[in-house]
Amino acid sequence: MEQPIFTTRAHVFQIDPSTKKNWVPGSKQAVTVSYFYDSTRNSYRIISVDGSKVIINSTITPNMNFTKTSQKFGQWADSRANTVFGLGFASEQQLAKFAEKFLEVKEAAKLAREKSQEKMETSSEQSQESGRETPSGNQASSFNGTDDEKISIGPENEPLKSEVEQSRVKCELELQALRESNARLQEALEEEKISAENWRSRVTQSQEEENQLRNQISELELQCKEVNLEKERNVQLTLRIQELESDLQDKQQELEDLCKQAEIIPQLMAECENLTAKLQAAELKSQDLSEKLKLLQGEIDGSQHKHKNMKTELKKFMDLLDGKIDELHEVRQGISKLGVDN
């Protein structure tokens, strides 16, 4: 029965059979690639399935080699499948682990082949020994046969008899080997049928598991979307909380300021009363000053009237004075003329 001994994920490629150069993708995405060990046949295989399609079914032999062609890509040739498989990994570590497992399985396959050859050689030797014993009995029976047979055996027929005996022994050995080979083939066929049934059941189980995983992935994606929405809401709530905390701090500061102001309210009330008393006193003084201002205004008006009268009288006086001055000037001129005449 086959069992997986190592599993990884990679992108599968096969060489283009027409060009033998270009790679043809075997899968649209990374798929599972596994090493399987068959305990009944003592053999190893690399198997990969994409959905219901088998894209790799390669039996590992001691002559195979796995080659790293880049940091994340490796390949090997399968002469039985007449193709070359390539695997692209997501990291160098995955490629290194797959290559190490390939060498390990290759050595195990080599040991299994050597043991199988030893068993076949042992069984062949046993068959030859049993074949050698069988002709002697047949020969004895031929010599102990009827008189006609005894008569027919003569010296001239001895070489022919030995050749017939050798041919018969050879045919019996070949027949025995064919029977053993046929038995092994039948066993292998039965094992292959059992393995195929197991593989079909495993593929069906894998498909069911894959469907379950896809459903779980869908559920997880929905949960992730819900989680992302919840995260966004949490971020918005966090921002809102920060804004509210900032507003609360401002309100607390305002409250503290109001409390400080409330402490000085009595002083302000006292000052307000003092100011009110001063205002009333100022109003009284203002009334007195208004009355005084009215009196002064009346006095000013009287003074202005007197000033106008004085200006009028002064102008009359000045006009009179100018007339007198002109008369004096005329008198002076007359006196001057008189003096000149004298």
Side-chain angles (χ1 to χ4, degrees):
M1 182 177 179
E2 283 187 318
Q3 293 181 350
I5 57 176
F6 179 83
T7 301
T8 185
R9 291 185 68 84
H11 291 271
V12 178
F13 298 88
Q14 277 186 300
I15 201 72
D16 189 351
S18 59
T19 61
K20 298 294 183 180
K21 293 181 180 180
N22 301 325
W23 289 106
V24 178
S27 61
K28 295 181 180 180
Q29 57 187 0
V31 295
T32 301
V33 181
S34 302
Y35 286 93
F36 278 84
Y37 172 63
D38 189 348
S39 58
T40 56
R41 301 178 61 187
N42 199 15
S43 63
Y44 297 86
R45 289 196 299 172
I46 299 175
I47 295 174
S48 178
V49 179
D50 185 11
S52 60
K53 177 183 177 183
V54 179
I55 52 180
I56 297 179
N57 185 6
S58 177
T59 301
I60 300 175
T61 63
N63 299 326
M64 287 184 177
N65 291 313
F66 185 80
T67 306
K68 297 179 183 178
T69 57
S70 66
Q71 294 181 349
K72 299 180 182 180
F73 192 86
Q75 65 183 44
W76 78 95
D78 189 343
S79 58
R80 295 182 179 180
N82 192 22
T83 187
V84 179
F85 294 102
L87 297 178
F89 295 90
S91 63
E92 298 180 22
Q93 292 79 7
Q94 291 180 351
L95 175 60
K97 290 180 181 179
F98 188 89
E100 291 175 0
K101 198 66 181 178
F102 194 96
L103 290 175
E104 179 183 341
V105 171
K106 176 182 173 181
E107 292 298 325
K110 184 177 180 181
L111 293 174
R113 174 177 285 187
E114 290 176 355
K115 290 181 181 179
S116 177
Q117 288 178 352
E118 290 176 358
K119 289 181 180 180
M120 289 180 66
E121 290 175 357
T122 303
S123 62
S124 177
E125 289 175 358
Q126 291 176 355
S127 298
Q128 289 179 1
E129 289 176 358
S130 62
R132 291 193 186 97
E133 292 175 358
T134 303
S136 61
N138 292 333
Q139 188 175 2
S141 62
S142 63
F143 281 110
N144 294 327
T146 61
D147 294 337
D148 295 336
E149 288 176 347
K150 290 179 182 179
I151 294 169
S152 64
I153 296 173
E156 68 278 3
N157 292 328
E158 285 294 330
L160 181 60
K161 179 194 169 198
S162 62
E163 290 179 2
V164 170
E165 288 295 330
Q166 290 177 0
S167 298
R168 186 174 60 80
V169 169
K170 185 176 180 181
C171 289
E172 288 179 355
L173 291 175
E174 291 178 355
L175 181 60
Q176 183 67 22
L178 287 173
R179 286 174 180 173
E180 293 177 356
S181 177
N182 188 23
R184 287 195 298 270
L185 288 174
Q186 288 180 352
E187 291 177 358
L189 182 60
E190 292 296 329
E191 292 172 358
E192 189 67 25
K193 288 181 180 178
I194 295 171
S195 177
E197 292 296 330
N198 292 332
W199 180 247
R200 288 192 187 95
S201 62
R202 193 177 292 115
V203 168
T204 304
Q205 184 179 0
S206 299
Q207 289 177 351
E208 293 176 355
E209 292 176 354
E210 184 179 0
N211 292 330
Q212 292 177 359
L213 289 174
R214 286 179 179 175
N215 293 330
Q216 291 178 0
I217 289 170
S218 300
E219 293 175 358
L220 290 174
E221 288 177 351
L222 292 174
Q223 292 177 2
C224 288
K225 290 180 180 178
E226 293 177 356
V227 169
N228 292 330
L229 293 174
E230 190 66 26
K231 286 181 179 178
E232 292 178 357
R233 287 196 292 268
N234 290 335
V235 170
Q236 293 176 357
L237 289 174
T238 303
L239 295 174
R240 181 58 181 166
I241 290 170
Q242 291 176 355
E243 292 176 356
L244 292 174
E245 288 178 350
S246 178
D247 293 340
L248 181 61
Q249 290 178 357
D250 295 338
K251 297 297 181 183
Q252 287 178 349
Q253 186 65 36
E254 291 178 359
L255 182 61
E256 291 177 357
D257 295 338
L258 290 173
C259 291
K260 291 179 180 178
Q261 292 176 3
E263 293 176 356
I264 63 175
I265 285 175
Q267 298 177 359
L268 293 174
M269 292 294 292
E271 291 178 359
C272 184
E273 290 176 356
N274 293 328
L275 290 173
T276 303
K278 289 179 180 180
L279 182 61
Q280 290 175 355
E283 287 178 353
L284 293 173
K285 287 181 181 180
S286 177
Q287 290 177 358
D288 294 336
L289 290 173
S290 295
E291 292 177 356
K292 290 179 180 180
L293 182 61
K294 288 179 181 180
L295 293 173
L296 289 173
Q297 187 67 36
E299 292 177 358
I300 289 169
D301 292 337
S303 298
Q304 287 179 352
H305 184 68
K306 289 180 181 179
H307 182 66
K308 287 181 180 180
N309 293 330
M310 289 178 66
K311 283 178 71 177
T312 303
E313 291 178 358
L314 181 62
K315 187 176 180 182
K316 290 179 179 180
F317 178 75
M318 289 296 293
D319 291 338
L320 181 62
L321 183 62
D322 289 337
K324 296 296 181 181
I325 290 170
D326 291 337
E327 290 178 358
L328 287 174
H329 184 65
E330 290 176 356
V331 171
R332 186 178 178 183
Q333 286 180 354
I335 292 171
S336 295
K337 289 178 179 181
L338 291 176
V340 171
D341 293 340
N342 291 327

